[in-house]
């Protein structure tokens, strides 16, 4: 994207606090590194407060900036960018001056201030969490600049605490920490090591030395080297041999940073952990080696590189921000990067990311199961954790068959399902997907043959026609000895055609299942957790299934995971099996079953959902979708418009050209991925009205432009 600044190479210097000695260290490092770099080093202070006006031309065009003046004594190429008079935090100083700082602009100014080919030494203001404006802090500026960070830590009371909290804050954002320089900020006689009044210099010294040893050990645990421990130094110009070694180490590292990589890939994205490949290299590698969903390995459709996501926005590598219309396939109901979800997962990672579920249990698993059983339709009493939606479906189908065998109806081994369904891509799940979409001909011989009935023809928004159930009644009557369960998506058929059917159909079907003792398996993987306007779509029909599958929005899109809920009767049925029939145990157990990180994410996501006004949000989105998409109905290329809850569909008369349409949508600043004949939206529940309007506008635009 145009307007992105050149990427800088060099280092960012931050402190554990104000007065940690950042400027002192910067001045000396500037001289040493500048020497090593053959003079090609620029020192930049992006924000300086406590400046004074000068009549003559000062270091910052009419300003005298104290840090820059100090550095300039050692290294002349030193500049301050934004200067303010009051000696206070940048956000406050800027607001007193009647302006506001922005990370984006500061980063741009830094890039402009450093001539091409120069090593940059950028000095922050204060520590990590110093605010630049109401939303952004120094940490955001560091993220923008993507420079490795040198942390200057004051060796005094609180040293370890401040230094390690800073390291954590930096690493939590994926910012690379090049190392720590520990600095004595006052002479031994006044040093503030925290001893009581009666303590002598020897006691103080012992504490300062212990700070050094402890910090070195803790920082090493975090993978951060202690680069030097500096003695007190009165004369800012006297040589400090410890810093020569630091400069040598940093300069080596600088040389290994490689050539500048062109434009900055993004503004608000963690850089560290990512290899220094350009976006073009990543796309080329992806194209050569990676499979994407339903694509060719050798001749794939184009993909785009996403670098970050926040709320309902996805940011691409070129800086383009897209309004998300997909919730990443039903999952991200809270949008992206919810602080509560991140914190819950982070807490769980620190306690225990995973342990096997065989023979062990844990609080997150119990907590999640309790929540699911509390919320799910009545009668569901047992929970099986699966590692994805498809696996949940596999487990549900096995459960149904095991139940029938164990209760003396071993001939019941097939399933009945409507056409147009989607239940996942593993073999068992695929066998009950729509046979055309699911490519049953291709896999003939591999997939068991199940019974299919016509798609529920009664629309959600039209009067119910009982005739729509007659085929189901006929098959169940004729095949009752063969059918273990009826499996379907309640109310909304998702990936198989985005079709919304009448709740009375589901109610009638549940009645038929009861009549023949055939289990009802509801796949709530797409519909669960509020998407249709009810917490679970089965609530529209007041139906309680024997087995229910959840997934997708279960973790709010933070990670994969699913669950199968079963009634007491199903569990008790399976229990009756003799040794030859499995002996009453359910024959399934994935390696990552009950993964604590998944459970923690899911618990937090559910809590977040329930604490939010989700019904109101979904109802609002429904109204906005209706308003925005309904005009498409008049378009000659559109076959139908359907809206339910936070789902909006425009069905085209012919299959759409996905690649062309996707290009168009991205050019309109939205992320919408159509499929087959359906151009559809299921935005995060947190989406504001104007963003939903933008999504709908883009779809109307696509029809008007003849792209559908
Ligand atoms: C997505 C989906 C699945 C499969 O879930 P995965 O996590 O992709 O395996 C199953 N059923 C329905 C209704 C789905 O929408």
């Amino acid at each position: 994207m145009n307007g992105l600044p050149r990427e800088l190479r060099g280092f960012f210097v931050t402190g554990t606090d104000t007065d940690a000695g950042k400027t002192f260290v910067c001045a000396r490092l500037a001289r040493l590194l500048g020497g090593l770099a053959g003079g090609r080093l620029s020192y930049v202070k992006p924000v300086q407060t406590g400046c004074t006006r000068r009549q003559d031309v000062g270091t910052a065009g009419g300003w005298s900036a104290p840090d820059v003046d100090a550095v300039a004594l050692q290294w002349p190429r030193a500049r301050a960018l934004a200067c303010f008079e009051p000696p206070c935090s940048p956000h406050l100083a800027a607001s007193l001056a009647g302006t506001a700082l922005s990370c984006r602009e500061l980063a741009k100014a830094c890039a402009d201030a450093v001539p091409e080919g120069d090593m940059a030494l950028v000095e922050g203001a204060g520590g990590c969490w110093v605010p630049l404006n109401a939303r952004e802090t120094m940490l955001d500026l560091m993220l923008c600049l993507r420079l490795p960070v040198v942390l200057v830590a004051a060796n005094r009371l609180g040293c370890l605490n401040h230094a390690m909290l800073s390291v954590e804050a930096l690493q939590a954002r994926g910012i690379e920490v090049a190392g720590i320089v520990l600095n004595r900020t006052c002479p031994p006689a006044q040093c503030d090591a925290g001893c009581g009044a009666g303590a002598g210099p020897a006691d103080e010294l012992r504490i300062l030395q212990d700070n050094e040893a402890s910090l070195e050990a803790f920082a090493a645990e975090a993978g951060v080297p202690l680069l030097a421990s500096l003695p007190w130094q009165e004369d800012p110009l006297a040589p400090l041999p410890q810093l020569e070694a630091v400069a040598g180490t940093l300069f080596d590292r600088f040389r290994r940073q490689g050539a500048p990589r062109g434009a900055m890939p993004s503004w608000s994205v963690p850089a560290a952990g990512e290899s220094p490949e350009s976006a073009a290299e990543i796309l080329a590698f992806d194209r050569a080696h990676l499979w994407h969903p339903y694509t060719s390995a050798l001749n794939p459709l184009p993909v785009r590189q996403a670098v970050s996501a926040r709320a309902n926005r996805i940011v691409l590598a070129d800086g383009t921000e897209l309004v998300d219309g997909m919730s990443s396939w039903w999952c991200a109901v809270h949008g992206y990067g919810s602080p509560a979800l991140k914190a819950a997962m982070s807490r769980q990672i620190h306690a225990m990311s995973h342990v096997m579920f065989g023979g062990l249990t844990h609080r997150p698993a119990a907590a999640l199961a309790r929540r699911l059983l509390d919320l799910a339709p009545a009668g569901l009493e047992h929970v099986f954790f699966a590692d994805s939606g498809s696996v949940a479906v596999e487990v549900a189908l096995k459960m149904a068959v095991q139940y029938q065998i164990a209760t003396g109806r071993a001939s019941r081994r097939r399933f009945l399902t409507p056409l147009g369904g989607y239940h996942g891509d593993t073999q068992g799940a695929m066998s009950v997907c729509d046979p055309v979409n699911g490519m049953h001909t291709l896999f003939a011989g591999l997939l068991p043959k199940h019974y299919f009935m016509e798609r529920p023809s009664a629309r959600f928004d039209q009067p119910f026609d009982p005739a729509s159930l007659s085929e189901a009644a006929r098959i169940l009557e004729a095949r009752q000895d063969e059918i273990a369960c009826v499996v379907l998506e309640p109310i909304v058929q998702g990936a198989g055609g985005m079709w919304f059917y009448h709740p009375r159909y589901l109610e009638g079907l549940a009645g038929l299942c009861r009549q023949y003792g055939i289990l009802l398996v509801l796949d709530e993987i797409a519909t669960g957790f509020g998407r249709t306007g009810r917490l679970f779509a089965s609530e529209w029909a007041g139906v309680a299934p024997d087995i229910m599958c959840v997934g997708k929005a279960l973790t709010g899109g933070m990670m994969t995971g699913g669950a199968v809920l079963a009634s007491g009767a199903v569990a008790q049925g399976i229990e009756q099996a003799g040794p030859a029939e499995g002996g009453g145990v359910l024959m399934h157990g994935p390696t990552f079953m009950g993964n604590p990180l998944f459970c923690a994410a899911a618990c937090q996501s559910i809590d977040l959902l329930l604490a939010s006004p989700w019904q109101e949000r979904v109802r609002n989105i429904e109204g906005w979708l209706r308003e925005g998409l309904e005009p498409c109905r008049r378009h000659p290329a559109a076959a139908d418009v359907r809206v339910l809850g936070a789902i909006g569909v425009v069905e085209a008369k012919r299959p759409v050209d996905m690649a062309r349409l996707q290009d168009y949508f991205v050019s309109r600043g939205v992320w919408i991925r159509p499929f087959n004949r359906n151009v559809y939206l299921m935005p995060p529940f947190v989406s504001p009205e104007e963003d939903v309007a933008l999504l709908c506008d883009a779809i109307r635009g696509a029809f008007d432009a003849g792209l559908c």
Side-chain angles (χ1 to χ4, degrees):
M1 251 222 162
N2 298 332
L4 285 186
R6 199 166 37 75
E7 188 167 11
L8 292 176
R9 297 167 64 219
F11 297 93
F12 191 102
V13 180
T14 189
T16 46
D17 213 336
T18 40
D19 292 333
K22 253 187 317 54
T23 306
F24 171 83
V25 169
C26 275
R28 282 149 179 284
L29 276 183
R31 190 173 61 191
L32 293 166
L33 286 170
L36 291 170
R40 305 288 315 261
L41 178 135
S42 295
Y43 164 90
V44 179
K45 179 91 181 172
V47 196
Q48 174 91 75
T49 57
C51 298
T52 42
R53 290 266 182 203
R54 254 165 52 168
Q55 290 315 312
D56 57 325
V57 176
T59 49
W63 287 100
S64 168
D67 291 357
V68 176
D69 293 345
V71 172
L73 292 176
Q74 307 246 359
W75 190 254
R77 291 160 82 124
R79 284 183 59 187
L81 302 178
C83 293
F84 301 101
E85 226 160 348
C88 58
S89 162
H91 78 298
L92 187 56
S95 110
L96 290 171
T99 86
L101 294 165
S102 113
C103 257
R104 195 187 173 101
E105 279 160 25
L106 282 175
K108 207 172 251 171
C110 285
D112 291 344
V114 178
E116 193 146 4
D118 262 24
M119 180 176 184
L121 192 64
V122 181
E123 184 184 342
C128 291
W129 270 94
V130 167
L132 292 169
N133 55 47
R135 277 189 316 112
E136 295 174 314
T137 68
M138 268 302 155
L139 283 164
D140 294 298
L141 181 60
M142 292 181 225
L143 275 172
C144 282
L145 289 169
R146 293 170 53 110
L147 293 169
V149 168
V150 175
L151 175 67
V152 178
N155 194 354
R156 57 188 177 217
L157 183 65
C159 158
L160 263 181
N161 183 48
H162 289 142
M164 291 315 296
L165 285 174
S166 300
V167 167
E168 266 190 27
L170 291 162
Q171 290 186 335
R173 284 156 188 80
I175 298 169
E176 247 176 288
V177 187
I180 302 175
V181 174
L182 190 58
N183 186 36
R184 296 252 181 102
T185 52
C186 42
Q190 301 160 17
C191 79
D192 173 22
C195 291
D203 302 306
E204 300 270 358
L205 196 65
R206 197 170 56 238
I207 290 178
L208 296 183
Q209 279 165 353
D210 179 69
N211 278 350
E212 178 185 329
S214 302
L215 181 59
E216 183 161 24
F218 283 120
E221 275 291 299
V224 174
L226 180 62
L227 296 171
S229 176
L230 306 180
W232 162 249
Q233 179 60 260
E234 188 100 44
D235 174 5
L237 298 175
L240 254 183
Q242 293 91 335
L243 273 182
E244 278 166 32
V246 173
T249 309
L250 293 179
F251 190 68
D252 275 351
R253 191 181 169 129
F254 166 71
R255 278 198 304 215
R256 278 185 281 116
Q257 282 174 15
R261 286 168 254 147
M264 275 192 218
S266 88
W267 284 108
S268 54
V269 178
E274 224 176 69
S275 60
E277 287 173 305
S278 71
E281 285 168 324
I282 291 168
L283 288 180
F285 183 88
D286 179 286
R287 197 170 174 80
H289 299 287
L290 290 189
W291 253 305
H292 284 265
Y294 304 99
T295 49
S296 151
L298 300 184
N299 192 20
L301 290 175
V303 294
R304 292 171 168 81
Q305 188 195 344
V307 286
S308 71
R310 209 185 231 190
N312 67 329
R313 304 298 166 97
I314 297 172
V315 182
L316 301 184
D318 65 4
T320 309
E321 231 183 70
L322 301 176
V323 169
D324 179 30
M326 305 304 293
S327 299
S328 287
W329 282 335
W330 312 92
C331 298
V333 288
H334 311 294
Y336 303 90
S338 142
L341 280 171
K342 288 194 292 193
M345 292 182 75
S346 173
R347 276 195 303 275
Q348 189 56 46
I349 281 183
H350 288 295
M352 164 173 82
S353 177
H354 182 66
V355 289
M356 62 192 281
F357 212 47
L360 294 172
T361 191
H362 39 78
R363 183 190 293 272
L368 176 56
R370 195 191 303 275
R371 281 168 176 74
L372 290 173
L373 295 177
D374 278 353
L375 298 173
L380 297 172
E381 291 175 17
H382 301 271
V383 179
F384 186 102
F385 290 125
D387 30 19
S388 71
S390 301
V391 172
V393 171
E394 298 289 335
V395 171
L397 297 176
K398 276 165 96 167
M399 253 181 210
V401 171
Q402 275 198 250
Y403 166 85
Q404 299 291 6
I405 294 173
T407 54
R409 282 158 295 199
S411 62
R412 289 182 164 179
R413 287 162 181 268
R414 297 221 194 160
F415 313 124
L416 171 63
T417 188
L419 294 172
Y422 178 78
H423 299 283
D425 293 341
T426 53
Q427 285 184 37
M430 192 168 62
S431 74
V432 289
C433 288
D434 184 274
V436 176
N437 293 338
M439 294 282 203
H440 285 217
T441 326
L442 171 65
F443 297 108
L446 178 67
L447 293 186
K449 286 222 159 49
H450 298 300
Y451 291 108
F452 289 92
M453 54 194 173
E454 72 176 52
R455 185 173 82 164
S457 56
R459 288 177 70 112
F460 184 89
D461 53 2
Q462 306 265 306
F464 178 63
D465 175 9
S468 62
L469 275 166
S470 50
E471 194 188 9
R474 189 172 50 72
I475 296 177
L476 285 172
E477 167 64 28
R479 305 290 178 181
Q480 51 183 292
D481 294 335
E482 295 172 54
I483 294 173
C485 69
V486 173
V487 51
L488 79 168
E489 299 151 274
I491 310 301
V492 173
Q493 289 188 307
M498 301 300 289
W499 177 250
F500 313 151
Y501 63 84
H502 204 286
R504 299 246 329 255
Y505 176 90
L506 188 57
E507 200 188 330
L509 197 59
L512 287 168
C513 285
R514 255 196 319 276
Q515 185 182 331
Y516 294 106
I518 287 169
L519 299 180
L520 177 65
V521 177
L522 290 186
D523 179 348
E524 290 262 13
I525 291 168
T527 46
F529 305 102
R531 180 57 66 178
T532 67
R534 300 287 167 95
L535 198 54
F536 295 105
S538 59
E539 293 171 18
W540 285 104
V543 160
D546 301 291
I547 300 174
M548 176 169 119
C549 300
V550 290
K552 291 204 162 116
L554 173 60
T555 62
M558 295 303 276
M559 63 182 298
T560 182
V564 186
L565 280 61
S567 68
V570 167
Q572 283 148 27
I574 292 173
E575 199 60 34
Q576 295 167 25
E581 301 158 341
V585 301
L586 181 69
M587 296 306 288
H588 214 100
T591 307
F592 280 89
M593 183 168 179
N595 173 253
L597 192 54
F598 146 75
C599 293
C603 282
Q604 185 64 64
S605 176
I606 290 171
D607 291 351
L608 210 54
L609 184 73
L610 297 182
S612 74
W614 65 269
Q615 288 104 325
E616 188 189 330
R617 285 178 175 166
V618 171
R619 208 166 34 242
N620 286 340
I621 292 176
E622 180 173 62
W624 303 329
L625 288 172
R626 211 161 253 139
E627 189 181 338
L629 297 179
E630 205 48 52
C632 289
R633 201 182 287 286
R634 292 190 298 273
H635 201 281
D640 192 16
V641 175
R642 301 186 281 273
V643 174
L644 176 65
I647 316 168
V649 188
V650 183
E651 186 179 328
K653 288 193 174 137
R654 288 177 311 168
V656 300
D657 179 341
M658 184 148 70
R660 264 182 80 204
L661 210 44
Q662 195 114 68
D663 283 346
Y664 172 79
F665 285 137
V666 169
S667 78
R668 297 282 309 256
V670 296
W671 183 244
I672 303 172
R673 188 153 174 93
F675 177 67
N676 203 357
R677 279 182 297 128
N678 293 314
V679 186
Y680 58 96
L681 297 173
M682 40 214 193
F685 298 169
V686 296
S687 306
E689 179 172 7
E690 58 271 24
D691 286 352
V692 177
L694 199 71
L695 291 164
C696 296
D697 281 353
I699 291 183
R700 287 201 311 273
F703 273 87
D704 289 342
L707 291 163
C708 299

